[in-house]
Amino acid sequence: MRYVRFIFSLWLVLSVSACVGSYNQQHPTKDVGADVDPTDADGYGEPDADGDADGYGEPDADGDSTDSGGDAGGDADGGPTDSGGDAGGDADGYGEPDADGDATDSGGYGDAGSDADGGPTDSGGSPLDELWPEQSPDDMAVSLKANLRWKRGAILKNDLSQALGFAPDQSCKELELFDCFMAHNIPLGGSDPFGSGLYEPARSPQVTTPIAVERIIMQTCVRRALVDAVGPAVVFTELDLASPALDPTDLETLLAVDKQTRILYRRFLARNPTIAEKDLIRTLLLSDNGELVSATDFAVMSCFAIGSTTEFIFF
Amino acid sequence: MHNQRSKISLLTVVAATLLMLVCMLPNAEAKPTGPGIFCQTYPEMPVCQGNLVACSPCHDSTWPTSWNAYGLDVWVALNGEPYEQGLATALQTIEDIDSDQDGLTNLQELLSNTMPGEAQSVWIDPPTPIGLSNSWYEVGSFDYRFAFRRVGAIFCGQSPTYEELIAFEEGVDPGTEEGQALLDERLHDYMGYCLDTVYWRRTALWSMADKRIRPLTAAGVNSSIGLVLADYYWDYYLFEYVLTGDRDARHLLTADYHVQEDLNGDLEVVTGSFAGEAGIAPGQPLQVERRAGMITTQWFLVINTMFSPLPRTSAAHALRSYLGMDIARSEGLLPVENEPIDIDNKGVAEAPCSHCHSTLDPLSYSFTYYHGIYGNLTGLYDPNRPDRVNVEIPGWNDPQSVILGQPVDDLVEWAHVASESDEFKRNLADMFFQYVLDRGPDPQEQESFTEIWKALPEDDYSVNRMLHRLIDTDAFGAP
């Protein structure tokens, strides 16, 4: 069985690499923009020095020949809807609707980057528009100040709602009735001056805090997936949520998964994933038993995996 | 064998000395004059900057009195000399000793704002960052992206989106001075935006007000049992108003006006007295010339003074909330000579009580003329209050009020002295520092923290300007 898997993997790598080579030959004018590495296969602009660091060698996205000019950030995946110079400025860049109910879209600060007006990264791209660089833990400068803050209830609520495109009071309901953040207010680091006379919140996370945080993130991810499945999708725009099983050997599926991963990273962490992170999310395409998972399950688990990182919960 | 015998002899002598000391100690007691002398000796110490050291550097307990290792060394260094006269010299004598054996001398600990008598209380500078580089953040120095995200989360209540981050860094070369200046300008623009958001004004600021206002729904305007004694929303509105919009933060203690919300949700100043309707819709009936901001609102007097003839709780809460010193923790002790006189015969002149009441009672006298819960007089100034039934203080002779060592004529002057003090400035900065970073300043941050509150007069006591300074510090923006 192990040999079969190995042969299959080898075949997959070779065949996909062949596709990449073919694609690159057919697209000599590909907009590499800020790409450090012209061999960058996925068009995300990461310094993919080995030509295909992630091993899958996916051809750059949709092969959209109309995607010219605007995608300065190395974002060659604009897709059919990615018109009008929808560059890095429109960070969604994937053509997902901007009117997603995202709390920050409604008149908040700095909306300049979220429209389709050509955006601020049209001119030369932004480091943020690339995959974040990989760095070996051995040589990475690590802060020893522990200068991090716990994202308490109110901020977590706003950030989670923003990330998953809900109005803050609609993101999570216990028993479909009570606002989760009210129900778990104290473990989430809130106070309750008017109710129980608790004038000051806990100084540090309590023993039930991780349970409450994970429960809420999971529940909000599930809610988002269910709502998106009915459509129109707001967050899980790259997945066919009706699909009973996502095939990790299918190139289109992998591309969709990677795009979806990038959307989630941008929404939760305001950055692109690294190659390793992207690859890690791909592993969720198989269950612990090695079985295929449905698109909805993948959506929920990838959402949960990214949303429950310490990077999202602390700042 | 000879060495062993010598060791035994030495141990015997040490044990006998300790026994002698322990036998002598119960005759001594904690002296509330100690903190004042300490800070006169070490005015530059962090613990004395806009603050008065508590008893805890020397004492495990002030009653029954017990000393920690540092306190014992002070006691030994006094060498029998009268406490008030010998304390300064004794403190200096043991500066180079490591009383608690934690590896740092007493002087080093005092400079680091840690306890020289507690081995667990020690500060060690964090090591320099390991590793060669970090592609994501400027580790160990100010990072604009890190700071930008923090500003959004803390002051806007929501982290910046990916799009906002891109816009923030658009067209910037962070490696140049121009680029840094541009990022700095954008950071502060964003900060200005956040400081005017509903989140900052209503969620963040109100959460800081909670423990100062101490709302009690059962007795507030939304009482479910119909027991409406006062309306604490006046207090929240005043707190919010004073600490926003570049207003003078001293008005927390000196405002003679009130603030209410208009139909658009904006705050507007209300002058004059308005009694409201007793039991249904409380107002702010206090005479205008007797007002002292947050510490004379009807709610403050109801919830703190209540039925107390001598409102010690009100004075202690005012000191704790707006000067950052908690008498219950032996903080802010500046005993007044010949106090406490025990004007209300509560026994506070007894040794266990006089330690704090020699400071607390003179702080409280000015509050005596303000009614707590008292029918239609609730929250009013009344020169005859000490003679009123149920709150009378037989023998009341208008004793001298004192705050921070300064005699004052009435509560308005009390509040004025308080609002001009370093303690007020430091506490204001500390309140926001604690909220912003979820912790107090560490020893490496003490200097910039002190600079922030000392700049308040220069900033016209504007909290907004103080916060703009705060986000420029490494404490805020250096990962």
Side-chain angles (χ1 to χ4, degrees):
Chain A
M1 190 62 187
R2 193 178 293 171
Y3 293 113
V4 173
R5 274 194 190 164
F6 174 74
I7 291 167
F8 169 75
S9 301
L10 190 62
W11 169 82
L12 185 65
V13 168
L14 291 174
S15 58
V16 172
S17 298
C19 290
V20 174
S22 168
Y23 173 85
N24 286 340
Q25 282 178 359
Q26 290 170 32
H27 296 75
T29 58
K30 171 178 168 288
D31 174 19
V32 292
D35 280 1
V36 175
D37 182 355
T39 64
D40 175 14
D42 57 10
Y44 290 165
E46 79 278 29
D48 192 356
D50 60 359
D52 182 16
D54 53 10
Y56 287 96
E58 72 279 21
D60 182 26
D62 49 13
D64 177 12
S65 59
T66 64
D67 187 23
S68 61
D71 277 322
D75 182 4
D77 61 349
T81 60
D82 191 12
S83 60
D86 175 13
D90 179 4
D92 38 1
Y94 307 108
E96 82 268 32
D98 245 346
D100 53 7
D102 184 336
T104 61
D105 280 353
S106 55
Y109 174 87
D111 271 359
S114 63
D115 57 22
D117 61 0
T121 57
D122 275 352
S123 55
S126 159
L128 287 172
D129 214 29
E130 302 167 358
L131 276 176
W132 271 32
E134 301 289 349
Q135 241 190 317
S136 162
D138 295 334
D139 64 4
M140 181 183 288
V142 177
S143 173
L144 298 178
K145 290 178 66 177
N147 188 8
L148 279 179
R149 258 205 63 173
W150 170 29
K151 210 177 265 183
R152 292 174 183 269
I155 304 174
L156 182 68
K157 177 180 185 174
N158 291 336
D159 277 6
L160 186 61
S161 307
Q162 174 179 266
L164 294 180
F166 284 116
D169 289 333
Q170 298 300 317
S171 59
C172 178
K173 298 276 186 188
E174 284 290 0
L175 306 175
E176 288 299 319
L177 291 174
F178 310 108
D179 179 24
C180 297
F181 292 89
M182 289 294 288
H184 303 291
N185 177 34
I186 304 305
L188 292 175
S191 57
D192 186 23
F194 301 105
S196 56
L198 187 67
Y199 299 131
E200 290 186 86
R203 293 194 68 84
S204 53
Q206 299 171 285
V207 73
T208 53
T209 300
I211 302 169
V213 169
E214 291 196 347
R215 178 177 175 82
I216 286 172
I217 292 171
M218 172 62 86
Q219 197 175 140
T220 311
C221 287
V222 169
R223 192 178 183 84
R224 182 74 267 168
L226 293 176
V227 173
D228 277 6
V230 178
V234 169
V235 173
F236 299 111
T237 52
E238 302 303 317
L239 302 174
D240 174 11
L241 292 173
S243 172
L246 293 176
D247 183 358
T249 66
D250 176 60
L251 206 54
E252 290 297 322
T253 299
L254 289 176
L255 286 172
V257 161
D258 286 349
K259 284 184 181 179
Q260 191 59 60
T261 300
R262 185 163 72 162
I263 290 173
L264 289 170
Y265 264 85
R266 287 180 173 185
R267 281 184 164 274
F268 275 112
L269 307 177
R271 66 172 175 87
N272 288 334
T274 65
I275 296 167
E277 288 166 337
K278 195 158 57 83
D279 290 347
L280 199 61
I281 294 297
R282 285 185 179 187
T283 64
L284 296 173
L285 287 169
L286 292 176
S287 73
D288 286 348
N289 300 328
E291 295 166 352
L292 300 182
V293 300
S294 70
T296 304
D297 282 351
F298 172 79
V300 170
M301 291 316 298
S302 57
C303 171
F304 177 74
I306 298 165
S308 60
T309 52
T310 51
E311 186 177 347
F312 181 69
I313 295 165
F314 293 85
F315 67 104
Chain B
M1 190 64 183
H2 174 73
N3 282 344
Q4 195 172 355
R5 198 172 289 169
S6 297
K7 279 182 188 169
I8 291 171
S9 303
L10 185 63
L11 282 173
T12 307
V13 170
V14 170
T17 307
L18 282 175
L19 184 63
M20 185 181 71
L21 287 174
V22 169
C23 290
M24 291 167 67
L25 286 176
N27 295 323
E29 61 186 57
K31 303 276 190 182
T33 47
I37 298 170
F38 182 96
C39 281
Q40 284 168 9
T41 309
Y42 294 125
E44 76 285 1
M45 294 297 173
V47 76
C48 294
Q49 295 270 308
N51 192 32
L52 190 61
V53 68
C55 302
S56 48
C58 292
H59 290 278
D60 290 328
S61 166
T62 53
W63 194 268
T65 310
S66 66
W67 288 261
N68 58 34
Y70 179 68
L72 284 172
D73 280 341
V74 171
W75 191 86
V76 170
L78 276 168
N79 198 23
E81 196 167 348
Y83 179 75
E84 275 83 4
Q85 289 155 28
L87 181 57
T89 306
L91 290 169
Q92 289 161 341
T93 303
I94 61 167
E95 283 178 353
D96 295 328
I97 295 174
D98 179 8
S99 293
D100 55 6
Q101 300 293 306
D102 61 4
L104 294 175
T105 66
N106 295 332
L107 184 63
Q108 286 173 320
E109 292 229 52
L110 293 173
L111 287 167
S112 300
N113 204 15
T114 56
M115 294 290 182
E118 290 179 25
Q120 296 83 2
S121 173
V122 63
W123 170 259
I124 299 168
D125 287 343
T128 49
I130 57 173
L132 302 173
S133 64
N134 188 305
S135 313
W136 301 358
Y137 293 106
E138 289 291 332
V139 171
S141 55
F142 195 89
D143 183 285
Y144 278 100
R145 185 186 298 176
F146 183 75
F148 182 68
R149 296 187 69 178
R150 279 196 156 179
V151 165
I154 294 168
F155 298 101
C156 277
Q158 187 165 301
S159 302
T161 62
Y162 175 78
E163 295 85 349
E164 287 167 348
L165 266 176
I166 286 186
F168 177 67
E169 297 183 338
E170 176 206 355
V172 172
D173 179 357
T176 64
E177 277 187 24
E178 293 78 11
Q180 293 282 308
L182 191 54
L183 287 174
D184 197 60
E185 184 184 335
R186 289 177 181 175
L187 181 70
H188 285 278
D189 282 349
Y190 187 42
M191 178 71 174
Y193 164 80
C194 288
L195 289 177
D196 199 32
T197 56
V198 173
Y199 173 82
W200 176 248
R201 289 187 285 108
R202 283 293 155 90
T203 302
L205 283 178
W206 282 38
S207 74
M208 282 179 257
D210 287 337
K211 70 176 180 178
R212 292 168 173 84
I213 296 173
R214 304 203 291 189
L216 181 66
T217 309
V221 74
N222 297 324
S223 172
S224 58
I225 56 174
L227 181 68
V228 184
L229 296 175
D231 180 1
Y232 40 74
Y233 285 107
W234 288 105
D235 302 58
Y236 279 101
Y237 294 143
L238 181 60
F239 191 88
E240 174 190 332
Y241 182 82
V242 170
L243 299 181
T244 52
D246 280 334
R247 297 185 184 91
D248 188 334
R250 289 174 296 183
H251 287 198
L252 283 175
L253 293 176
T254 61
D256 63 359
Y257 56 84
H258 285 281
V259 176
Q260 68 181 8
E261 193 176 38
D262 66 17
L263 293 175
N264 298 321
D266 298 324
L267 296 182
E268 60 181 11
V269 169
V270 184
T271 55
S273 298
F274 33 102
E277 196 169 343
I280 301 171
Q284 292 297 347
L286 179 61
Q287 300 89 322
V288 172
E289 69 276 12
R290 294 294 176 184
R291 288 182 178 171
M294 298 290 295
I295 62 173
T296 57
T297 64
Q298 192 179 47
W299 177 257
F300 181 92
L301 297 168
V302 161
I303 198 68
N304 292 298
T305 296
M306 289 191 175
F307 308 101
S308 304
L310 181 56
R312 296 183 176 93
T313 302
S314 300
H317 191 59
L319 196 75
R320 177 170 48 237
S321 297
Y322 299 104
L323 299 186
M325 297 183 292
D326 191 342
I327 291 266
R329 294 178 173 177
S330 298
E331 295 169 355
L333 296 183
L334 274 175
V336 176
E337 201 169 350
N338 299 321
E339 288 283 358
I341 57 176
D342 197 10
I343 188 86
D344 54 351
N345 292 313
K346 298 294 183 189
V348 296
E350 297 299 318
C353 311
S354 63
H355 176 74
C356 293
H357 281 267
S358 53
T359 299
L360 177 58
D361 283 18
L363 278 170
S364 311
Y365 297 145
S366 292
F367 285 88
T368 305
Y369 299 103
Y370 291 75
H371 280 289
I373 303 172
Y374 202 83
N376 288 336
L377 295 179
T378 295
L380 276 172
Y381 176 85
D382 178 3
N384 299 316
R385 184 172 181 267
D387 300 324
R388 299 275 185 184
V389 176
N390 292 332
V391 288
E392 72 270 28
I393 305 176
W396 176 261
N397 60 356
D398 192 18
Q400 179 66 58
S401 292
V402 180
I403 177 171
L404 299 174
Q406 187 171 332
V408 291
D409 288 337
D410 55 26
L411 189 54
V412 173
E413 189 182 357
W414 187 108
H416 176 74
V417 169
S419 70
E420 295 294 333
S421 67
D422 279 355
E423 285 79 359
F424 175 79
K425 287 177 267 186
R426 184 188 189 279
N427 180 62
L428 195 67
D430 189 61
M431 176 172 79
F432 283 97
F433 193 102
Q434 296 266 0
Y435 179 81
V436 166
L437 292 169
D438 238 349
R439 60 177 175 81
D442 69 32
Q444 287 185 320
E445 297 159 353
Q446 277 293 339
E447 190 177 340
S448 58
F449 172 70
T450 303
E451 285 172 4
I452 287 171
W453 65 257
K454 285 197 169 174
L456 265 169
E458 183 187 328
D459 291 340
D460 297 327
Y461 286 86
S462 159
V463 164
N464 280 7
R465 288 177 214 168
M466 182 180 75
L467 292 171
H468 276 281
R469 288 182 188 271
L470 177 56
I471 66 166
D472 280 338
T473 63
D474 279 358
F476 182 83

